[in-house]
Amino acid sequence: MLTWKIVSPMSRPHIDTDSNTQLRIEERAFSAAGAAFLSAIIVNPLDVAKTRLQAQAAGVPYQGVCRMAPFQTNTRLQDIMSPVSGSQPSRPCSFGCCTYKGTLDVFYKVIRHEGFTRLWRGTSASLALAVPTVGIYMPCYDILRVMMEEFTTKNAPNLTPYVPLLAGSVARSFACISCYPVELARTRMQAFRITQSGKPPGVWKTLLEVVHPDKSTSIFQSFHRYRFWWTGLGAQLSRDVPFSAICWSTLEPIRKNILGLVGDKTSAATVLGANFSAGFVAGTLASAVTCPLDVAKTRRQIEKNHERALKMTTRTTLIEIWRDGGLRGLFTGVGPRVCRAGPSVGIVVSFYEVVKYALQHTRPTS
């Protein structure tokens, strides 16, 4: 596995095959899961803001009434603001009362109408998604990159610069497919507007609402409807694979150059700084470029009509978004998405590498 002994000022930390410094797969997964846990909690409010803005642009009507009034949506998401017996009557909203105008406006109105903690709506899904996904993604990327770099260095040196792009794409595809239903649940949970007190539906209940089997129908008779849990998977891959390709192909050269400036004087602080800086820049760039694909993913995941949802493609969704909102529609939520992705990638990558560094340097050497 990687150690942080730099053999030349501009080289990548070399691969040490000594068994005492090799990190096991479970140690890599532990590093990645810890990074995902920290990142998911810190940036979740920005994720909520991004999802609300994109869902509103897709037709989810957040305006209409304040507090406890129910409303009908144009999506599969069922609002859970229905008034309880004896509750205060709802009052009409003034124009724009519950229409989101930007990231800060989302924060203000969510806190005002739903409560401060609703900014962390979907955190349980984010954690349920991020820990296993990043636990798969980062170790797979790490292993694939090392293997590919060894192969290309010996057989096709001119292809070595493209290794991060390919390794990131393959690792992200595998992680995305394996955990997609939880991603679907998170998007739907964050698109809710909740003003009623009480416990909102969690990940499992949200997924059951996606399927919504008839109570008179047995679970086996409605089993075919569980394919709706993978609605929008194509859009997710269309977003995540380019994101990973851009992110890693940008991150690796920046990290390599920063660590090259340090030389042999590597410490946990330099590892942290180099990886956070590279991750921040790479995540910001990749999230901005792939924002239209993220808008398409959100729109497909909140679609109400099951038949239409199964027929939708990323291409037709992008055309629909362009027709409805033009360039501005394609980049709906780009502000919170970029503000979220830059720190998130920086936190995940730096935490992952620092934990690896610590594990390597706390082992006894032979």
mmCIF file of all heavy atoms in Angstrom, residues 10-37:
data_model
loop_
_atom_site.group_PDB
_atom_site.id
_atom_site.type_symbol
_atom_site.label_atom_id
_atom_site.label_comp_id
_atom_site.label_asym_id
_atom_site.label_seq_id
_atom_site.Cartn_x
_atom_site.Cartn_y
_atom_site.Cartn_z
ATOM 1 N N MET A 10 8.814 15.600 -7.534
ATOM 2 C CA MET A 10 7.566 15.662 -8.278
ATOM 3 C C MET A 10 6.930 14.295 -8.453
ATOM 4 O O MET A 10 6.057 14.109 -9.289
ATOM 5 C CB MET A 10 7.817 16.278 -9.672
ATOM 6 C CG MET A 10 8.309 17.704 -9.608
ATOM 7 S SD MET A 10 7.173 18.789 -8.728
ATOM 8 C CE MET A 10 5.783 18.771 -9.818
ATOM 9 N N SER A 11 7.337 13.324 -7.697
ATOM 10 C CA SER A 11 6.799 11.971 -7.880
ATOM 11 C C SER A 11 5.692 11.704 -6.897
ATOM 12 O O SER A 11 5.588 12.331 -5.859
ATOM 13 C CB SER A 11 7.913 10.931 -7.684
ATOM 14 O OG SER A 11 8.337 10.930 -6.346
ATOM 15 N N ARG A 12 4.873 10.712 -7.234
ATOM 16 C CA ARG A 12 3.824 10.256 -6.330
ATOM 17 C C ARG A 12 4.472 9.429 -5.245
ATOM 18 O O ARG A 12 5.463 8.744 -5.507
ATOM 19 C CB ARG A 12 2.811 9.398 -7.139
ATOM 20 C CG ARG A 12 1.639 8.881 -6.340
ATOM 21 C CD ARG A 12 0.668 9.996 -6.054
ATOM 22 N NE ARG A 12 -0.565 9.489 -5.502
ATOM 23 C CZ ARG A 12 -0.801 9.318 -4.224
ATOM 24 N NH1 ARG A 12 0.130 9.563 -3.336
ATOM 25 N NH2 ARG A 12 -1.976 8.902 -3.828
ATOM 26 N N PRO A 13 3.970 9.423 -3.999
ATOM 27 C CA PRO A 13 4.507 8.537 -2.982
ATOM 28 C C PRO A 13 4.566 7.123 -3.520
ATOM 29 O O PRO A 13 3.611 6.618 -4.090
ATOM 30 C CB PRO A 13 3.462 8.651 -1.850
ATOM 31 C CG PRO A 13 2.911 10.020 -2.029
ATOM 32 C CD PRO A 13 2.869 10.249 -3.487
ATOM 33 N N HIS A 14 5.701 6.482 -3.348
ATOM 34 C CA HIS A 14 5.891 5.197 -3.990
ATOM 35 C C HIS A 14 5.150 4.083 -3.274
ATOM 36 O O HIS A 14 4.719 4.224 -2.155
ATOM 37 C CB HIS A 14 7.376 4.863 -4.082
ATOM 38 C CG HIS A 14 7.951 4.355 -2.781
ATOM 39 N ND1 HIS A 14 8.372 5.189 -1.788
ATOM 40 C CD2 HIS A 14 8.148 3.089 -2.333
ATOM 41 C CE1 HIS A 14 8.840 4.472 -0.764
ATOM 42 N NE2 HIS A 14 8.711 3.196 -1.080
ATOM 43 N N ILE A 15 5.025 2.969 -3.947
ATOM 44 C CA ILE A 15 4.293 1.825 -3.418
ATOM 45 C C ILE A 15 5.262 0.946 -2.659
ATOM 46 O O ILE A 15 6.235 0.436 -3.200
ATOM 47 C CB ILE A 15 3.634 1.038 -4.568
ATOM 48 C CG1 ILE A 15 2.687 1.947 -5.319
ATOM 49 C CG2 ILE A 15 2.931 -0.177 -4.067
ATOM 50 C CD1 ILE A 15 2.204 1.358 -6.629
ATOM 51 N N ASP A 16 5.005 0.778 -1.418
ATOM 52 C CA ASP A 16 5.830 -0.060 -0.574
ATOM 53 C C ASP A 16 5.161 -1.414 -0.440
ATOM 54 O O ASP A 16 4.051 -1.521 0.044
ATOM 55 C CB ASP A 16 5.983 0.592 0.803
ATOM 56 C CG ASP A 16 7.055 -0.090 1.644
ATOM 57 O OD1 ASP A 16 7.378 -1.247 1.337
ATOM 58 O OD2 ASP A 16 7.536 0.566 2.589
ATOM 59 N N THR A 17 5.844 -2.467 -0.855
ATOM 60 C CA THR A 17 5.257 -3.804 -0.815
ATOM 61 C C THR A 17 5.587 -4.548 0.466
ATOM 62 O O THR A 17 5.216 -5.707 0.634
ATOM 63 C CB THR A 17 5.757 -4.627 -2.012
ATOM 64 O OG1 THR A 17 7.184 -4.656 -1.994
ATOM 65 C CG2 THR A 17 5.299 -4.009 -3.325
ATOM 66 N N ASP A 18 6.252 -3.904 1.371
ATOM 67 C CA ASP A 18 6.543 -4.513 2.657
ATOM 68 C C ASP A 18 5.244 -4.850 3.366
ATOM 69 O O ASP A 18 4.367 -4.029 3.540
ATOM 70 C CB ASP A 18 7.369 -3.542 3.496
ATOM 71 C CG ASP A 18 7.859 -4.153 4.801
ATOM 72 O OD1 ASP A 18 7.360 -5.241 5.154
ATOM 73 O OD2 ASP A 18 8.709 -3.528 5.450
ATOM 74 N N SER A 19 5.109 -6.077 3.808
ATOM 75 C CA SER A 19 3.860 -6.510 4.440
ATOM 76 C C SER A 19 3.557 -5.740 5.705
ATOM 77 O O SER A 19 2.409 -5.612 6.110
ATOM 78 C CB SER A 19 3.930 -8.025 4.756
ATOM 79 O OG SER A 19 4.989 -8.279 5.646
ATOM 80 N N ASN A 20 4.583 -5.180 6.360
ATOM 81 C CA ASN A 20 4.330 -4.439 7.585
ATOM 82 C C ASN A 20 3.658 -3.101 7.306
ATOM 83 O O ASN A 20 3.054 -2.520 8.204
ATOM 84 C CB ASN A 20 5.649 -4.201 8.339
ATOM 85 C CG ASN A 20 6.150 -5.460 9.002
ATOM 86 O OD1 ASN A 20 5.362 -6.271 9.460
ATOM 87 N ND2 ASN A 20 7.468 -5.649 9.030
ATOM 88 N N THR A 21 3.799 -2.594 6.075
ATOM 89 C CA THR A 21 3.188 -1.310 5.758
ATOM 90 C C THR A 21 1.984 -1.453 4.837
ATOM 91 O O THR A 21 1.391 -0.459 4.447
ATOM 92 C CB THR A 21 4.226 -0.375 5.097
ATOM 93 O OG1 THR A 21 4.732 -1.010 3.917
ATOM 94 C CG2 THR A 21 5.351 -0.070 6.052
ATOM 95 N N GLN A 22 1.636 -2.678 4.460
ATOM 96 C CA GLN A 22 0.450 -2.899 3.633
ATOM 97 C C GLN A 22 -0.804 -2.704 4.476
ATOM 98 O O GLN A 22 -0.925 -3.253 5.570
ATOM 99 C CB GLN A 22 0.452 -4.330 3.077
ATOM 100 C CG GLN A 22 1.479 -4.575 2.000
ATOM 101 C CD GLN A 22 1.012 -4.020 0.662
ATOM 102 O OE1 GLN A 22 -0.144 -3.688 0.521
ATOM 103 N NE2 GLN A 22 1.913 -3.918 -0.287
ATOM 104 N N LEU A 23 -1.749 -1.927 3.939
ATOM 105 C CA LEU A 23 -3.029 -1.765 4.619
ATOM 106 C C LEU A 23 -3.996 -2.828 4.123
ATOM 107 O O LEU A 23 -4.122 -3.052 2.920
ATOM 108 C CB LEU A 23 -3.616 -0.377 4.330
ATOM 109 C CG LEU A 23 -3.111 0.781 5.175
ATOM 110 C CD1 LEU A 23 -3.810 2.045 4.751
ATOM 111 C CD2 LEU A 23 -3.334 0.530 6.647
ATOM 112 N N ARG A 24 -4.662 -3.462 5.065
ATOM 113 C CA ARG A 24 -5.660 -4.470 4.699
ATOM 114 C C ARG A 24 -6.919 -3.777 4.195
ATOM 115 O O ARG A 24 -7.158 -2.611 4.467
ATOM 116 C CB ARG A 24 -5.971 -5.364 5.897
ATOM 117 C CG ARG A 24 -4.764 -6.166 6.393
ATOM 118 C CD ARG A 24 -5.197 -7.150 7.486
ATOM 119 N NE ARG A 24 -5.731 -6.476 8.650
ATOM 120 C CZ ARG A 24 -4.987 -6.032 9.666
ATOM 121 N NH1 ARG A 24 -3.675 -6.173 9.636
ATOM 122 N NH2 ARG A 24 -5.552 -5.435 10.689
ATOM 123 N N ILE A 25 -7.754 -4.534 3.497
ATOM 124 C CA ILE A 25 -8.964 -3.975 2.905
ATOM 125 C C ILE A 25 -9.897 -3.421 3.979
ATOM 126 O O ILE A 25 -10.532 -2.387 3.800
ATOM 127 C CB ILE A 25 -9.697 -5.031 2.041
ATOM 128 C CG1 ILE A 25 -10.901 -4.408 1.344
ATOM 129 C CG2 ILE A 25 -10.107 -6.224 2.885
ATOM 130 C CD1 ILE A 25 -10.563 -3.363 0.330
ATOM 131 N N GLU A 26 -9.963 -4.091 5.146
ATOM 132 C CA GLU A 26 -10.845 -3.602 6.194
ATOM 133 C C GLU A 26 -10.339 -2.284 6.792
ATOM 134 O O GLU A 26 -11.119 -1.449 7.244
ATOM 135 C CB GLU A 26 -11.024 -4.648 7.297
ATOM 136 C CG GLU A 26 -9.758 -5.079 8.016
ATOM 137 C CD GLU A 26 -9.098 -6.282 7.381
ATOM 138 O OE1 GLU A 26 -9.351 -6.527 6.179
ATOM 139 O OE2 GLU A 26 -8.333 -6.984 8.077
ATOM 140 N N GLU A 27 -9.013 -2.076 6.778
ATOM 141 C CA GLU A 27 -8.466 -0.814 7.263
ATOM 142 C C GLU A 27 -8.752 0.326 6.281
ATOM 143 O O GLU A 27 -9.053 1.450 6.689
ATOM 144 C CB GLU A 27 -6.958 -0.959 7.493
ATOM 145 C CG GLU A 27 -6.617 -1.881 8.657
ATOM 146 C CD GLU A 27 -5.121 -2.100 8.808
ATOM 147 O OE1 GLU A 27 -4.424 -2.190 7.778
ATOM 148 O OE2 GLU A 27 -4.653 -2.188 9.948
ATOM 149 N N ARG A 28 -8.673 0.010 5.017
ATOM 150 C CA ARG A 28 -9.041 1.006 4.011
ATOM 151 C C ARG A 28 -10.520 1.373 4.141
ATOM 152 O O ARG A 28 -10.903 2.547 4.071
ATOM 153 C CB ARG A 28 -8.777 0.471 2.610
ATOM 154 C CG ARG A 28 -7.335 0.109 2.308
ATOM 155 C CD ARG A 28 -7.282 -0.523 0.929
ATOM 156 N NE ARG A 28 -6.069 -1.285 0.720
ATOM 157 C CZ ARG A 28 -5.134 -0.984 -0.169
ATOM 158 N NH1 ARG A 28 -5.274 0.100 -0.911
ATOM 159 N NH2 ARG A 28 -4.070 -1.738 -0.308
ATOM 160 N N ALA A 29 -11.360 0.343 4.311
ATOM 161 C CA ALA A 29 -12.800 0.586 4.439
ATOM 162 C C ALA A 29 -13.108 1.398 5.693
ATOM 163 O O ALA A 29 -13.976 2.275 5.678
ATOM 164 C CB ALA A 29 -13.551 -0.743 4.473
ATOM 165 N N PHE A 30 -12.403 1.117 6.793
ATOM 166 C CA PHE A 30 -12.593 1.870 8.033
ATOM 167 C C PHE A 30 -12.236 3.339 7.826
ATOM 168 O O PHE A 30 -12.959 4.250 8.259
ATOM 169 C CB PHE A 30 -11.731 1.275 9.146
ATOM 170 C CG PHE A 30 -11.664 2.120 10.387
ATOM 171 C CD1 PHE A 30 -12.727 2.159 11.277
ATOM 172 C CD2 PHE A 30 -10.550 2.897 10.665
ATOM 173 C CE1 PHE A 30 -12.677 2.950 12.425
ATOM 174 C CE2 PHE A 30 -10.483 3.693 11.802
ATOM 175 C CZ PHE A 30 -11.550 3.713 12.676
ATOM 176 N N SER A 31 -11.133 3.606 7.144
ATOM 177 C CA SER A 31 -10.720 4.981 6.863
ATOM 178 C C SER A 31 -11.776 5.706 6.042
ATOM 179 O O SER A 31 -12.150 6.846 6.335
ATOM 180 C CB SER A 31 -9.383 4.989 6.111
ATOM 181 O OG SER A 31 -8.382 4.316 6.841
ATOM 182 N N ALA A 32 -12.267 5.018 5.008
ATOM 183 C CA ALA A 32 -13.255 5.640 4.124
ATOM 184 C C ALA A 32 -14.583 5.866 4.835
ATOM 185 O O ALA A 32 -15.231 6.905 4.655
ATOM 186 C CB ALA A 32 -13.461 4.762 2.892
ATOM 187 N N ALA A 33 -15.022 4.899 5.644
ATOM 188 C CA ALA A 33 -16.304 5.029 6.342
ATOM 189 C C ALA A 33 -16.269 6.190 7.340
ATOM 190 O O ALA A 33 -17.235 6.938 7.476
ATOM 191 C CB ALA A 33 -16.634 3.724 7.059
ATOM 192 N N GLY A 34 -15.161 6.344 8.031
ATOM 193 C CA GLY A 34 -15.021 7.458 8.959
ATOM 194 C C GLY A 34 -15.077 8.797 8.237
ATOM 195 O O GLY A 34 -15.715 9.752 8.701
ATOM 196 N N ALA A 35 -14.442 8.868 7.073
ATOM 197 C CA ALA A 35 -14.472 10.089 6.280
ATOM 198 C C ALA A 35 -15.888 10.400 5.807
ATOM 199 O O ALA A 35 -16.339 11.545 5.847
ATOM 200 C CB ALA A 35 -13.535 9.939 5.080
ATOM 201 N N ALA A 36 -16.602 9.372 5.359
ATOM 202 C CA ALA A 36 -17.968 9.557 4.866
ATOM 203 C C ALA A 36 -18.898 10.020 5.985
ATOM 204 O O ALA A 36 -19.763 10.882 5.779
ATOM 205 C CB ALA A 36 -18.480 8.254 4.262
ATOM 206 N N PHE A 37 -18.746 9.453 7.167
ATOM 207 C CA PHE A 37 -19.576 9.814 8.316
ATOM 208 C C PHE A 37 -19.417 11.294 8.648
ATOM 209 O O PHE A 37 -20.399 12.030 8.809
ATOM 210 C CB PHE A 37 -19.184 8.948 9.512
ATOM 211 C CG PHE A 37 -20.004 9.213 10.748
ATOM 212 C CD1 PHE A 37 -21.195 8.534 10.958
ATOM 213 C CD2 PHE A 37 -19.578 10.122 11.692
ATOM 214 C CE1 PHE A 37 -21.949 8.777 12.096
ATOM 215 C CE2 PHE A 37 -20.322 10.368 12.841
ATOM 216 C CZ PHE A 37 -21.517 9.688 13.035
#
